[in-house]
Amino acid sequence: MPTLLLIDIQNDFLPGGALPVADGDAVVPIANRLIASGKFDEILATQDWHPAGHGSFASEHPGKRPGEVIDLHGLPQVLWPDHCVQNTGGACFAPGLLTRPIRRIFQKGTDPAIDSYSGLFDNGRRKSTGLADYLRARGTREVCVCGLATDYCVKFTALDARREGFDVTLIVDACRGIDLSPGDIDRAIDEMRAAGVRVVTSEQMS
Ligand code: VGL
Ligand code: ZN
């Protein structure tokens, strides 16, 4: 049976949060149905988990605004509002998410000098979160990915998991995206498909 990966279903990505994803709260009941479905061996989650003053925060770069792209220590970096600061309410899981079945949480974005969209590696692929090794140690071959945001952390997690040799399924209705440039979400889904990610709806999972 596959493992379900819940990506960044955190308050700051919900409507009213610091980096709100439109309709982001809609993934919670869908994720809950998947969690309770009995179709998954194991439930794992990621959390965006930035220190205050993270390099991806526009507030750290005088004169820059969220949405602008800068060079951050050699990598292109979209600047974001301050979000998911460690141990703040914004970094907590969404209210109502069935968190008890989550066996392990992998936190990312903890290094102030580099962002980490993927749940497996930072954006420079320098440091691992331990998720890939964890899955291999458990003998997991297939992961199903859902959460926030489709065009950032969900996409980078799915692509890294493919690159690491896992079978990857995107549960597309259990994701919402940012669409900083209109079409980003659709392009992200195309990119995942092209990399061999299976794209299904939560209904098709049953
Ligand atoms: C995310 C932007 C910045 C995400 C995290 O979870 O998709 N997006 N940090
Ligand atoms: Zn972030």
Side-chain angles (χ1 to χ4, degrees), residues 29-51:
I30 305 171
N32 283 345
R33 279 197 290 279
L34 291 164
I35 291 165
S37 68
K39 298 254 158 34
F40 300 96
D41 253 352
E42 189 169 43
I43 317 290
L44 304 175
T46 64
Q47 281 178 323
D48 211 31
W49 198 252
H50 298 305

Side-chain angles (χ1 to χ4, degrees), residues 8 13 19 48 50 80 83 108 115 117 148-149 152-153 178:
D8 299 2
F13 298 122
L19 206 177
D48 211 31
H50 298 305
W80 304 107
H83 66 279
K108 61 191 181 57
D115 213 351
Y117 294 142
L148 306 169
Y152 287 92
C153 293
I178 295 174

Side-chain angles (χ1 to χ4, degrees), residues 34-159:
L34 291 164
I35 291 165
S37 68
K39 298 254 158 34
F40 300 96
D41 253 352
E42 189 169 43
I43 317 290
L44 304 175
T46 64
Q47 281 178 323
D48 211 31
W49 198 252
H50 298 305
H54 191 262
S56 72
F57 296 172
S59 60
E60 290 298 300
H61 306 278
K64 299 287 178 189
R65 286 186 310 269
E68 289 187 55
V69 180
I70 64 159
D71 178 295
L72 186 64
H73 308 293
L75 289 177
Q77 175 67 53
V78 180
L79 295 177
W80 304 107
D82 292 22
H83 66 279
C84 295
V85 173
Q86 297 170 5
N87 302 306
T88 64
C92 292
F93 288 121
L97 184 68
L98 292 175
T99 55
R100 246 179 321 175
I102 298 172
R103 179 118 36 134
R104 266 196 69 166
I105 300 168
F106 294 85
Q107 294 171 328
K108 61 191 181 57
T110 56
D111 181 342
I114 189 162
D115 213 351
S116 186
Y117 294 142
S118 157
L120 283 70
F121 299 101
D122 65 52
N123 290 1
R125 294 185 60 79
R126 287 174 206 141
K127 248 184 78 188
S128 164
T129 61
L131 174 54
D133 287 337
Y134 177 86
L135 292 170
R136 275 191 282 267
R138 306 264 313 160
T140 301
R141 296 181 54 183
E142 186 186 357
V143 295
C144 296
V145 184
C146 68
L148 306 169
T150 318
D151 39 356
Y152 287 92
C153 293
V154 171
K155 176 181 98 168
F156 281 81
T157 299
L159 294 179

